[in-house]
Amino acid sequence: MMVGSSAGALVAALAMARRPREKLAELFQRWPRESPSWAFTWWGRLLSFPREKLPRCLGSHKAGERWEEVVEGIEAILSWDEMAGTVGVVATDLLTGQGIVFGNGPAHVPERFLRGDAPPWLALRASSAIPGLFAPVKRSPYLLADGALVAPVPAEVARLWGAAKVVAVDLGSGDLPSPPPRSASETVDRAGAILLTGLSRCQLQKTADLVLQPLRYLANPDTWNVEELVAAGKEALLEAWPALEKLLS
């Protein structure tokens, strides 16, 4: 079982996809190697736009063109019925502030969530619709945006769906050292990171048995590439391996 919000939702869906690795690799070829950070984190860092240009592209459909290209590829290869296991994708309803859970899991969800119905590509598009950068997704009766607004790491959904042990991967960077912001967009970026980190820490204390924090293993959490991120993930997993074996034994 895998449940996620925003980039975590994308990872969950693709990890559970019954598709040849070549198909998934072809999908990821749409992401530029030299500036891939737009695909993984929550605020201004999500896009490869220069910081100084962010205020001009806020809320524009053009800002999400590269993500839309990825979604088009997802639509062709993903189906809830063909997943290798249970997958949950969390988005936020901007009209009520509630979390909306999509996927192939049970109908029941935690009290502060509602159960939604949408194909994988639309659920993933909604879960990653960062307010102000990507247009929200209309799915009656909801107006959907980034799932991280209500649950950056939705471990409580996995727990309620029957997971006996919950291992969370937290990409929050709000409590990591950061240089002083140099612009309004960097200030907003940093503020968003702090808010989300505090929210996820509070939620995970109650719902996760083990928490991995890969960004702690990056030399500079504000600037990195795919290779550095993969290396940080491996390092985080290796360090947590004894605790993981104990948890699962």
Side-chain angles (χ1 to χ4, degrees), residues 131-142:
L133 290 181
F134 293 162
V137 174
K138 295 178 181 179
R139 181 72 170 180
S140 183
Y142 311 121

Side-chain angles (χ1 to χ4, degrees), residues 94-199:
L94 293 178
L95 303 180
T96 64
Q98 287 187 288
I100 311 297
V101 182
F102 302 96
N104 60 357
H108 57 279
V109 292
E111 185 176 348
R112 65 192 187 92
F113 293 84
L114 295 174
R115 194 68 163 86
D117 179 36
W121 69 270
L122 186 60
L124 293 171
R125 171 68 179 86
S127 183
S128 302
I130 301 170
L133 290 181
F134 293 162
V137 174
K138 295 178 181 179
R139 181 72 170 180
S140 183
Y142 311 121
L143 185 63
L144 300 167
D146 200 312
L149 293 172
V150 292
V153 189
E156 62 191 291
V157 176
R159 181 73 75 185
L160 187 63
W161 277 2
K165 306 293 183 181
V166 176
V167 178
V169 179
D170 181 9
L171 297 182
S173 60
D175 59 347
L176 299 179
S178 178
R182 297 168 295 177
S183 65
S185 61
E186 287 191 0
T187 301
V188 172
D189 186 13
R190 182 63 180 165
I194 292 171
L195 285 170
L196 289 180
T197 297
L199 176 61

